[in-house]
Amino acid sequence: MKECEWISIAAMDINRVIGSENKLPWNIPKDMNWFKTATKGHILVIGRKTFESMKKIYSENEYYILTRNRNYTSDQVNVKVIHQIEEIPDTGSEGKKVWICGGSEIYKATIGKCKYLYITQIKRTFEGNKYFPEFESDFYLEQVFYEDEEISIKKYIRVTKGV
Ligand SMILES: NC(=O)c1ccc[n+]([C@@H]2O[C@H](COP(=O)([O-])OP(=O)(O)OC[C@H]3O[C@@H](n4cnc5c(N)ncnc54)[C@H](OP(=O)(O)O)[C@@H]3O)[C@@H](O)[C@H]2O)c1
């Protein structure tokens, strides 16, 4: 699979839970602020279900919403509706990065092509039915951005396979 300059950004609990009933299972403002800051002004790729659960979209971001529904539309100028993974740009341009922002289906469908993962590890368990895929054998830990008793925020890079 061709690797792209995509960054998957997610928060997961100890059991890899990321969502419950189309919502986040937690309310952790410092992680939400991290997400907003990291992705501000960039391209955000989002599944239709997560998109519909979002309370706010920001004018400085460019949103690519994935749906298989050919009749799905948005009247927001910075929202582009796309229907397959191949329509996501391989790399950003003009300083914009491509952030894969979930949910579960979109993480699973794209992780094989992501170069970087920014993972917030939440150090407890929550009820939930949506998960982040296993990635540990394909990525190595490059940096810990932040750590406290509640969360850690880590950057992973894809392991480059030798020849
Ligand atoms: N913790 C985190 O960091 C985080 C981040 C984001 C989301 N979440 C959580 O994740 C949950 C939602 O995840 P989810 O898996 O249910 O939904 P999702 O990934 O947000 O959206 C799924 C939808 O995306 C479209 N889709 C999926 N694969 C596609 C493909 N290959 N081509 C075109 N369209 C495609 C389909 O839309 P149609 O049905 O319209 O065809 C599908 O129903 C929520 O609980 C949310 O809060 C957590």
Side-chain angles (χ1 to χ4, degrees):
M1 201 183 273
K2 186 170 173 283
E3 187 183 283
C4 301
E5 295 283 323
W6 298 347
I7 312 163
S8 206
I9 184 165
M12 67 176 191
D13 85 350
I14 287 172
N15 296 323
R16 320 184 83 83
V17 165
I18 64 160
S20 173
E21 294 172 356
N22 212 26
K23 291 192 294 246
L24 292 177
W26 46 73
N27 176 20
I28 305 179
K30 63 192 160 194
D31 182 57
M32 196 47 78
N33 289 337
W34 156 254
F35 172 81
K36 281 185 201 154
T37 304
T39 58
K40 187 175 176 179
H42 296 285
I43 295 168
L44 280 67
V45 178
I46 302 175
R48 192 265 308 162
K49 290 182 185 172
T50 295
F51 181 63
E52 290 183 352
S53 78
M54 287 165 46
K55 294 188 180 74
K56 196 169 173 195
I57 68 163
Y58 295 89
S59 57
E60 60 269 43
N61 297 341
E62 211 178 313
Y63 296 88
Y64 280 59
I65 307 309
L66 269 158
T67 175
R68 295 186 180 90
N69 178 355
R70 296 274 162 184
N71 298 319
Y72 196 84
T73 55
S74 167
D75 53 12
Q76 308 267 0
V77 288
N78 59 335
V79 173
K80 184 179 163 88
V81 176
I82 60 172
H83 302 103
Q84 42 190 353
I85 301 296
E86 290 70 23
E87 290 178 70
I88 306 170
D90 286 358
T91 58
S93 59
E94 296 164 9
K96 290 188 178 182
K97 294 175 181 166
V98 180
W99 294 86
I100 307 292
C101 302
S104 186
E105 281 188 41
I106 303 309
Y107 290 134
K108 280 186 194 133
T110 57
I111 197 155
K113 293 173 82 176
C114 286
K115 188 163 180 185
Y116 307 104
L117 308 179
Y118 282 24
I119 302 292
T120 297
Q121 178 70 67
I122 299 166
K123 299 176 181 180
R124 50 171 285 205
T125 58
F126 288 84
E127 292 295 318
N129 59 352
K130 300 289 169 172
Y131 297 87
F132 195 80
E134 292 198 13
F135 62 86
E136 286 78 357
S137 57
D138 293 320
F139 292 82
Y140 67 91
L141 176 64
E142 202 245 358
Q143 193 178 346
V144 179
F145 290 121
Y146 177 82
E147 175 121 43
D148 66 17
E149 66 291 337
E150 190 181 18
I151 65 169
S152 61
I153 304 177
K154 296 176 176 172
K155 177 182 181 182
Y156 294 85
I157 305 185
R158 178 175 294 286
V159 174
T160 307
K161 301 269 181 349
V163 278

